[in-house]
């Protein structure tokens, strides 16, 4: 099943996704599913396919909502944190072209709002090309301290556009940043459309007889297929016999890419086994099915009996699926904090110029284990902290994984955290 992908077949879907409710709207006018406006079509699709369709209002007036997104937010079930709707162009940009507009970095506030610490950079961005790296701290932008910018931003006297400039090709801002060794650098960053590499880092560390592959994976999209293959081909040539998979910032994406990644990790242990079972609402039980582990676009495999997965609350959806689907067959050691809790998914509907991603199925593994709405809990609880670039020994999550590989158990710090 190809989730989060613009299938040609979806272009043939009707507004009701194959025959929705014929209930009338709140004015007693033409039935929702016979109306041609976008809002009515969206609500009709929800009545048929939404996992929690029983929680929808019995009727609505589609004209009461200024946009399909406003309608969706108004009628979604209370437990739904994930359904959304975007335009086709937004879909193409986000999931197919894998581009966004900017300088190519992600940051978090640090040092009591006096700096912006870099979480990661994209290879194609001006920031990376000028030497900005994970762990660096931006302290000045366009001659103004970050402390001043953030104070003004919080007070409402400045906007993000004031700080970073308008979203136009060629916009330049001067950045000053401090490296982890306290040295400072400065450069002009140029704003442009940035292609987002999904493998943020790969490396191999040697600890005695252990050759530890480290893969930082940021999202599951079309581009990921070839990037994962390149990463695993590299690991194979390096003789990797342990793998640390870092999905601490990975919010999910294509399930088939999650399948490819899982199979590349442990093919000999999962071949011919069920990767995931899909369970739809009681109007769509004919769609219930399962998918076997498969390499997809991958060819290089490690055949590992265990994998270490680094997680935070930002690890979501397909990231959780990798953990849950592998658990019946290999030893999955989860390190960090609990994941976001999304054992559900979306099969998109194309409605006019929009793509609707409403929750319409839940997932379980080969042992029918699922329902982790409170998140998947770590074996070794460790608090995330940015201490430098990817793979530095001071990174608490990565260090915990290496410790487990060499010692055979969680560290005393992680054991103490688990007991709190």
């Amino acid at each position: 099943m190809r989730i989060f992908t613009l299938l040609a077949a979806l272009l043939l879907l009707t507004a009701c996704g194959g025959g929705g409710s014929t209930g009338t709207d709140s004015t007693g006018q033409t039935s929702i599913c016979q109306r041609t406006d976008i809002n009515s079509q969206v609500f009709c699709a929800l009545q048929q396919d939404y996992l929690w369709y029983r929680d929808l209002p019995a009727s609505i007036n589609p004209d009461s909502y200024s946009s399909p997104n406003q309608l969706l937010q108004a009628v979604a079930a209370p437990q739904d944190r994930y359904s959304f709707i975007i335009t086709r162009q937004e879909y193409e940009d986000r999931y197919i072209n894998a581009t966004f507009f900017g300088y190519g970095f992600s940051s978090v506030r640090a040092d009591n709002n006096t700096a912006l610490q870099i979480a990661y950079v994209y290879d194609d961005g001006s920031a990376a090309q000028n030497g900005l790296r994970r762990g660096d701290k931006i302290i000045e932008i366009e001659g103004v301290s970050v402390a001043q910018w953030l104070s003004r931003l919080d007070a409402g006297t400045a906007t993000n556009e004031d700080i970073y400039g308008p979203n136009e090709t060629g916009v330049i801002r001067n950045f000053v940043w401090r490296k982890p060794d306290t040295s400072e650098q400065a450069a002009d960053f140029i704003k442009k459309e940035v292609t987002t590499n999904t493998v943020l880092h790969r490396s191999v560390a040697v600890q005695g007889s252990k050759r530890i592959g480290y893969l930082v994976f940021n999202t599951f999209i079309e581009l990921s297929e070839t990037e994962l293959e390149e990463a695993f081909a590299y690991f194979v040539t390096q003789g990797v016999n342990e793998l640390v998979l870092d999905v601490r910032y990975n919010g999910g994406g294509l399930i088939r890419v999650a399948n490819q990644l899982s199979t590349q990790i442990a093919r000999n242990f999962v071949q011919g086994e069920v990767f995931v079972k899909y369970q739809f609402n009681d109007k769509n039980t004919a769609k219930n099915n399962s998918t076997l582990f498969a390499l997809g676009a991958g060819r290089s495999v490690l055949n590992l009996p265990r994998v270490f997965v680094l997680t935070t609350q930002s690890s979501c959806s397909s990231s959780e699926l990798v953990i849950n689907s592998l658990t019946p067959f290999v030893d999955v050691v989860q390190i960090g904090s609990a994941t976001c809790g999304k054992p559900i998914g979306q099969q998109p509907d194309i409605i006019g110029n929009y793509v609707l991603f409403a929750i319409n199925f839940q997932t379980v593994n080969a042992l029918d284990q699922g329902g982790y709405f409170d998140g998947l809990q770590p074996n070794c609880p460790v608090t995330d902290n940015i201490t430098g670039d990817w793979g530095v020994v001071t990174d608490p999550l990565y260090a915990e994984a290496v410790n487990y590989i060499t010692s055979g158990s969680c560290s005393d710090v992680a054991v103490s955290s688990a007991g709190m």
Side-chain angles (χ1 to χ4, degrees):
M1 180 179 298
R2 201 169 168 181
I3 309 302
F4 283 164
T5 189
L6 203 58
L7 295 176
L10 285 177
L11 294 170
L12 304 177
L13 285 178
T14 66
C16 299
S21 166
T22 57
T24 58
D25 64 27
S26 62
T27 64
Q29 301 292 318
T30 307
S31 91
I32 289 290
C33 291
Q34 292 175 354
R35 292 181 51 150
T36 58
D37 62 280
I38 294 298
N39 284 355
S40 296
Q41 293 178 41
V42 168
F43 192 67
C44 178
L46 291 172
Q47 288 176 314
Q48 176 63 27
D49 297 327
Y50 193 42
L51 185 64
W52 299 298
Y53 74 90
R54 296 180 189 277
D55 293 328
L56 294 171
S59 62
I60 65 163
N61 180 359
D63 300 328
S64 298
Y65 306 95
S66 62
S67 68
N69 183 63
Q70 186 188 66
L71 180 148
L72 179 61
Q73 298 307 313
V75 305
Q79 67 271 29
D80 188 357
R81 296 178 284 152
Y82 302 109
S83 293
F84 65 96
I85 187 168
I86 56 178
T87 67
R88 291 199 200 188
Q89 186 58 56
E90 289 171 329
Y91 174 89
E92 290 282 344
D93 291 342
R94 188 181 305 181
Y95 298 112
I96 304 300
N97 300 327
T99 60
F100 82 102
F101 212 83
Y103 302 110
F105 67 84
S106 175
S107 64
V108 295
R109 294 188 182 199
D111 298 343
N112 196 28
N113 289 332
T114 62
L116 294 171
Q117 188 167 33
I118 303 305
Y120 55 87
V121 296
Y122 293 116
D123 295 343
D124 187 47
S126 178
Q129 292 166 2
N130 279 283
L132 192 71
R133 295 293 181 267
R134 171 175 166 80
D136 295 349
K137 294 179 179 179
I138 297 172
I139 55 176
E140 183 180 297
I141 303 174
E142 203 63 13
V144 178
S145 71
V146 165
Q148 288 181 272
W149 276 127
L150 294 181
S151 177
R152 291 172 57 188
L153 189 66
D154 292 342
T157 58
T159 66
N160 280 317
E161 186 169 302
D162 293 327
I163 301 172
Y164 299 109
N167 280 338
E168 299 172 3
T169 299
V171 168
I172 298 175
R173 287 288 186 270
N174 183 264
F175 288 76
V176 179
W177 65 95
R178 183 180 298 120
K179 307 293 286 185
D181 65 4
T182 73
S183 64
E184 292 185 7
Q185 296 183 13
D188 289 336
F189 294 173
I190 303 174
K191 189 172 282 192
K192 66 169 188 171
E193 192 172 64
V194 178
T195 299
T196 59
N197 53 294
T198 64
V199 172
L200 296 179
H201 175 82
R202 69 183 192 197
S203 60
V204 176
V206 179
Q207 295 282 337
S209 63
K210 301 295 187 181
R211 300 186 66 84
I212 306 168
Y214 180 38
L215 175 65
V216 183
F217 188 52
N218 204 44
T219 190
F220 298 77
I221 59 175
E222 300 274 351
L223 179 65
S224 307
E225 295 178 313
T226 54
E227 291 191 351
L228 285 174
E229 170 56 22
E230 291 169 357
F232 275 85
Y234 167 72
F235 289 148
V236 170
T237 62
Q238 295 297 307
V240 164
N241 52 22
E242 298 279 4
L243 179 66
V244 179
L245 172 64
D246 192 334
V247 291
R248 72 181 82 188
Y249 302 135
N250 193 319
L254 291 165
I255 288 179
R256 62 182 172 80
V257 176
N259 192 341
Q260 173 184 329
L261 171 59
S262 302
T263 309
Q264 287 185 285
I265 292 170
R267 184 188 61 179
N268 286 358
F269 298 91
V270 300
Q271 198 163 22
E273 302 288 355
V274 169
F275 171 68
V276 64
K277 298 179 183 179
Y278 303 97
Q279 299 175 344
F280 291 80
N281 68 29
D282 57 11
K283 293 182 179 181
N284 294 284
T285 54
K287 294 182 180 180
N288 291 350
N289 68 95
S290 61
T291 299
L292 303 182
F293 283 88
L295 282 171
R299 291 293 177 269
S300 302
V301 297
L302 291 179
N303 296 320
L304 298 176
R306 72 175 178 181
V307 60
F308 295 82
V309 186
L310 311 186
T311 64
T312 66
Q313 193 173 15
S314 296
S315 307
C316 203
S317 192
S318 287
S319 292
E320 296 172 294
L321 199 60
V322 170
I323 297 170
N324 196 49
S325 296
L326 282 173
T327 294
F329 307 106
V330 299
D331 186 15
V332 180
V333 181
Q334 185 182 337
I335 294 171
S337 55
T339 59
C340 83
K342 189 187 175 190
I344 45 182
Q346 299 111 305
Q347 195 173 24
D349 277 333
I350 294 181
I351 303 175
N353 191 42
Y354 291 87
V355 185
L356 171 64
F357 291 89
I359 297 297
N360 48 26
F361 65 88
Q362 55 186 331
T363 60
V364 296
N365 65 17
L367 299 180
D368 294 323
Q369 296 166 330
Y372 41 85
F373 289 98
D374 293 328
L376 294 168
Q377 303 301 313
N379 303 93
C380 306
V382 179
T383 301
D384 187 28
N385 186 30
I386 302 173
T387 62
D389 207 354
W390 299 113
V392 295
V393 295
T394 53
D395 181 328
L397 272 63
Y398 178 70
E400 181 68 20
V402 173
N403 168 78
Y404 196 112
I405 290 170
T406 57
S407 71
S409 63
C410 301
S411 68
D412 292 340
V413 171
V415 171
S416 297
S417 298
M420 294 176 64

